Amino acid sequence: MNTRSLRFRMTAWYASLLAGALVLFSASVYVGLHRYLDLSLRRLLTEQAQSIGGELLIQLPQKGPDWLKSEINEHYAPSENARFIRVNRNDGGLVYLSEPPKNESFDPAVIPMHPTTGAHDYASNVEISGRQKLMIEQLTFRMRDGSAYAVTIGAPYQQVETVLHGLLLTLAGYTPLMVSLAIGGGYWLMRRALRPIDVITQRAEGITSTNLSQRLPVIQTGDELQRLSTSLNGMIARLEGAFQHINRFSADASHELRTPLTILQLELESIAQHAQLPRALAEQMGSALEETQRLSRIVENLLTISRLDAGEGRMEKVRVDLGKLAVSTAEQMHLLAEEKLISMQSKADEQVWVEGDRARLKQVIVNLIDNAIKYTPKDGAVVVAVTSDGRSARLEVADNGIGIAADALPHVFERFYRADKARSRESGGSGLGLAIVKAICGAHGGEVKIVSREGKGSHFIVELPLCDPGKHRKFDHEKVGEDGRPGVWTTIART
Ligand SMILES: Nc1ncnc2c1ncn2[C@@H]1O[C@H](COP(=O)(O)OP(=O)(O)OP(=O)(O)O)[C@@H](O)[C@H]1O
Ligand SMILES: [Mg+2]
């Protein structure tokens, strides 16, 4: 458990505050009830003593001690009610003493007198007598004839203690239960409260430079969370603007460079073809022409990639048999392989249909085969294969060439990255081929993976989604593709 997390800290605070409040509450309830029960019992005993003193003792001189005994026994039944009652004359003479209680929990004979002074003097105490605690109240009554009597009355204190004990047990049992419930509830509540942040975080993690048009969900809470999501969306919008600006700039720059480069290339070609050129100059012209062609290729690649980035690369959505496309492309590039005495095999499953832009998909195959041939030494082998697993189409281009070092592997799809700069430049590479492959795969909802070991060869795997089999397609002979090829597939809903 992460003890620094907001959820943990808030729950801990909440639980400690609740526990503190509950302990305080329990303590005050306990003290309050203790006082109340104490006071009630005292009041009851005082009332009983007063009624003995006020109603019975007045008649004592006329009616005698036996009458008093029977009156007290009849009205207060001390033995049955576990009450202690004693009436003493002031000179110490005993007038009445109650019988021991039936349960013999205390002995009335051993309960001491409390010294009192003045009329209606009062003493109160809790005594331990035998096995029991007794609450004792003692009142002094002065008669008209000058004599004085002390009425002492006691009741077991156990009743009060039993109630208090019960309360203590209840509080001790319920307080931890309430705190545990508060911890569980608090944790759950915090989780609920923080869930929108989780959603924002997950969505934010999925937003990269390629899908900056996406936005985070705005939580309509009218508080900091809503402000956070709107501000983050504002930031993403500004980033999107900046990215678009950069992409448009690269696309515009590449586009602008294209025409002068083509003119330059044509001019150089026409000069190079001039028969009377001195040999040295002709060689220089040839080299300049090569460089111009290289430059044109780079500009063309840059234009492609920045258009894909900006989402401007108009993509046809046609049904393409990836297997056939790969096999025919491999055949077209056969000469390139033969030049280096590399054997090239291509095989494909039947009917591996994907939906996308034919020219772009072909570019993926060309770039991968071009690399395989370029980075495989003489007498090597290149295999191109297309298969389908029912869910996605798989294009594989494998070679047994120089391979890629483990530290270079994560970078090969980066723009202008070349694992071996000297060799790559020699072969005319600019490091944009795989970046284009990745961008095209991404635009088709697919991905490209690589397995390679230095000195052993490389294996590129492109996975593209197969055409949705739930849709019925019909061939539209009238429609003509951008490149002039007829036969664009259109999708119509199944009826
Ligand atoms: N089949 C392969 N075998 C070994 N290394 C490879 C292979 N394919 C790519 N690489 C390495 O990855 C780097 C990047 O490849 P990428 O195709 O992007 O650039 P390039 O081939 O150098 O230039 P370009 O494709 O733009 O002409 C290459 O420079 C090369 O070092
Ligand atoms: Mg390449």
Side-chain angles (χ1 to χ4, degrees):
M1 187 176 283
N2 180 4
T3 51
R4 283 183 303 147
S5 71
L6 183 65
R7 200 184 301 167
F8 181 88
R9 281 185 294 143
M10 288 294 281
T11 312
W13 270 107
Y14 175 60
S16 336
L17 280 177
L18 188 81
L22 274 176
V23 167
L24 214 69
F25 172 75
S26 307
S28 34
V29 166
Y30 184 86
V31 171
L33 190 70
H34 189 288
R35 283 173 162 229
Y36 173 76
L37 292 176
D38 217 80
L39 213 72
S40 305
L41 188 58
R42 244 175 245 289
R43 199 170 288 152
L44 180 72
L45 295 180
T46 313
E47 275 168 11
Q48 288 182 349
Q50 272 169 346
S51 93
I52 291 173
E55 289 164 22
L56 303 181
L57 283 180
I58 299 173
Q59 303 177 49
L60 183 65
Q62 296 90 44
K63 301 199 171 168
D66 287 340
W67 169 82
L68 182 72
K69 187 175 178 181
S70 70
E71 278 297 306
I72 292 177
N73 285 349
E74 189 185 325
H75 284 106
Y76 301 100
S79 178
E80 284 78 23
N81 293 339
R83 276 283 140 76
F84 162 73
I85 301 174
R86 185 176 59 205
V87 180
N88 289 89
R89 263 195 310 274
N90 237 15
D91 57 12
L94 183 67
V95 180
Y96 171 82
L97 180 66
S98 58
E99 297 282 313
K102 285 215 163 121
N103 59 8
E104 294 184 350
S105 53
F106 61 88
D107 179 8
V110 298
I111 294 171
M113 276 281 289
H114 288 279
T116 54
T117 51
H120 294 267
D121 271 352
Y122 168 83
S124 168
N125 209 358
V126 176
E127 298 276 343
I128 299 172
S129 167
R131 285 182 282 119
Q132 228 171 27
K133 263 187 184 173
L134 289 181
M135 177 174 272
I136 305 284
E137 293 284 302
Q138 184 178 304
L139 266 76
T140 304
F141 296 92
R142 287 187 188 280
M143 300 292 132
R144 276 201 206 104
D145 62 0
S147 59
Y149 293 91
V151 176
T152 312
I153 186 157
Y157 196 60
Q158 195 190 5
Q159 306 156 8
V160 173
E161 282 183 332
T162 310
V163 174
L164 287 177
H165 190 64
L167 176 74
L168 203 65
L169 278 183
T170 313
L171 292 176
Y174 275 97
T175 305
L177 186 76
M178 298 289 279
V179 173
S180 323
L181 281 177
I183 291 175
Y187 207 72
W188 179 77
L189 274 178
M190 281 306 293
R191 220 167 113 137
R192 260 183 78 92
L194 291 177
R195 195 171 299 152
I197 298 189
D198 224 31
V199 173
I200 294 181
T201 316
Q202 273 175 17
R203 191 73 76 78
E205 276 167 2
I207 296 181
T208 61
S209 60
T210 52
N211 57 358
L212 274 173
S213 56
Q214 285 189 14
R215 291 292 175 272
L216 303 174
V218 175
I219 304 147
Q220 302 292 348
T221 47
D223 60 5
E224 290 84 352
L225 277 186
Q226 185 171 352
R227 277 218 324 273
L228 175 74
S229 41
T230 0
S231 333
L232 283 175
N233 276 342
M235 193 181 80
I236 297 169
R238 289 193 294 279
L239 273 177
E240 187 187 13
F243 263 81
Q244 272 175 356
H245 184 77
I246 295 167
N247 285 335
R248 227 174 291 125
F249 174 79
S250 321
D252 290 348
S254 322
H255 189 76
E256 288 303 313
L257 284 172
R258 228 174 168 194
T259 321
L261 267 176
T262 317
I263 296 169
L264 191 63
Q265 205 173 319
L266 288 173
E267 298 273 355
L268 284 174
E269 273 169 11
S270 87
I271 299 172
Q273 279 162 7
H274 216 279
Q276 281 120 26
L277 273 184
R279 206 180 132 84
L281 193 59
E283 271 174 18
Q284 275 181 334
M285 288 306 298
S287 161
L289 193 58
E290 254 178 41
E291 286 304 314
T292 324
Q293 280 163 351
R294 199 172 110 79
L295 202 56
S296 291
R297 264 203 315 278
I298 295 176
V299 167
E300 205 58 50
N301 282 345
L302 264 181
L303 185 62
T304 309
I305 216 162
S306 42
R307 276 185 174 165
L308 278 167
D309 275 353
E312 287 173 6
R314 275 157 299 144
M315 296 251 294
E316 264 182 357
K317 280 263 172 178
V318 299
R319 236 161 76 107
V320 178
D321 186 336
L322 191 67
K324 277 198 179 134
L325 183 67
V327 171
S328 67
T329 311
E331 272 165 15
Q332 285 162 11
M333 297 179 79
H334 222 268
L335 275 181
L336 219 59
E338 274 173 14
E339 268 178 27
K340 283 181 78 178
L341 301 177
I342 289 172
S343 79
M344 185 150 74
Q345 276 179 27
S346 52
K347 51 189 177 189
D349 284 357
E350 298 251 306
Q351 312 264 345
V352 184
W353 294 99
V354 294
E355 195 173 44
D357 188 307
R358 194 185 175 85
R360 300 254 191 246
L361 291 173
K362 183 169 177 154
Q363 200 170 0
V364 168
I365 303 166
V366 167
N367 286 6
L368 291 180
I369 297 180
D370 178 60
N371 280 354
I373 297 173
K374 217 157 53 172
Y375 302 110
T376 300
K378 246 175 95 180
D379 299 324
V382 173
V383 177
V384 181
V386 173
T387 48
S388 152
D389 64 0
R391 274 182 301 114
S392 52
R394 215 170 140 94
L395 161 74
E396 293 171 75
V397 178
D399 64 64
N400 59 356
I402 60 168
I404 303 165
D407 57 344
L409 261 185
H411 306 288
V412 289
F413 292 106
E414 289 171 12
R415 285 154 205 203
F416 295 110
Y417 182 84
R418 287 163 298 174
D420 183 344
K421 297 212 167 33
R423 190 197 296 252
S424 194
R425 193 180 156 73
E426 209 173 274
S427 57
S430 59
L432 284 171
L434 287 181
I436 291 175
V437 168
K438 191 178 174 196
I440 295 175
C441 287
H444 282 80
E447 58 174 348
V448 51
K449 291 185 271 191
I450 173 170
V451 183
S452 181
R453 270 178 63 199
E454 202 171 8
K456 297 278 178 200
S458 310
H459 187 168
F460 285 84
I461 303 148
V462 170
E463 278 178 347
L464 294 169
L466 284 174
C467 266
D468 187 355
K471 287 178 183 170
H472 170 67
R473 283 156 198 289
K474 121 175 157 27
F475 197 69
D476 185 351
H477 288 275
E478 305 308 317
K479 222 162 178 180
V480 176
E482 217 195 321
D483 55 356
R485 276 179 291 104
V488 175
W489 290 87
T490 53
T491 306
I492 60 164
R494 194 205 291 268
T495 48

